[in-house]
Amino acid sequence: MSGPTTIATLRGHLDTALPGAARAWLDQALDEAAATGSARDHTQPTLWESRFAEAGRRTGQDHADTARVLLLHAARADTATLTRLYAQGTAAERRAVLHALPHLVPGPEGLPLVEDALRTNDTRLVAAAVGSYAAEHLPAHSWRHAVLKCLFTGVPTDTVAALGERAHGDAELARMLGDFAQERTAAGRPVPPDLPRVLALTSPAAPTAKES
C-alpha cells in the first residue's frame, strides 16, 4: 500500500508556496513545536498549539492543512494530544489531525478519530479519513462502509487510499455495492458515477495498483 506524502515533501511544498512573512511564521512555529513537544499534561495546551489554531490565518486556508501537519509532526504529538486537538478543534483542525495520523501513529490507536470522521456528513472530513492511515489500519467491515460513505456523500473514490488493492477480489464489497445500486434505482435515484468503477475493482481479474 502506498504511504502518505513525506514530511520533507510537505515542507518543501510550503517553502516554495508561502510568501516570505508566512514562511517566517511557519519556521518560528515549527521551532516552537520542536522545542516544546507534546504536553506532559494532555489536558493543557502548549504554545505551539496556539500556532496550530491560527495556521489558517497565517498561511492561508489553501496551505493550512499542510502547515498543521508539519506542526503536529514537529511537536511529536502523541495519540492523546491528537485526540484532544481533534475533540476540541474546528473542522479544519480535525482534518489536519486526520492527515497527520500516518506520520505519527504507527498502530491502530488513531482509529477512533477516523471512525468519528466517517460518522459525519462533512465531505472534507470523510475524504481526510479515508487516506493511507485508514487503508493500513481500518478493519475490512469498517473500510467497506467507508467506501459506501464516500459514494453516498459524493466524496470522489479517488481519495480512498489503496482502493484497488483493498477492493481486489472483495466479494462482500461487491455485494454491498450491488445492493446499494439496487436500492438507489428502486428509489428512482441515480447511481453514483464512481460505483461501477469501484465494483469493477472488486473482480478477482481486475489488476491491482501493483500490477497495473
Side-chain angles (χ1 to χ4, degrees), residues 24-45:
W25 174 88
L26 180 63
D27 289 343
Q28 180 179 349
L30 291 173
D31 287 344
E32 291 170 353
T36 306
S38 296
R40 290 180 180 273
D41 179 355
H42 299 302
T43 66
Q44 297 300 317

Side-chain angles (χ1 to χ4, degrees), residues 180-203:
F180 179 58
Q182 289 178 3
E183 291 170 5
R184 299 278 290 194
T185 301
R189 303 178 68 184
V191 174
D194 275 2
L195 191 147
R197 183 179 75 87
V198 180
L199 184 59
L201 292 174
T202 65
S203 168

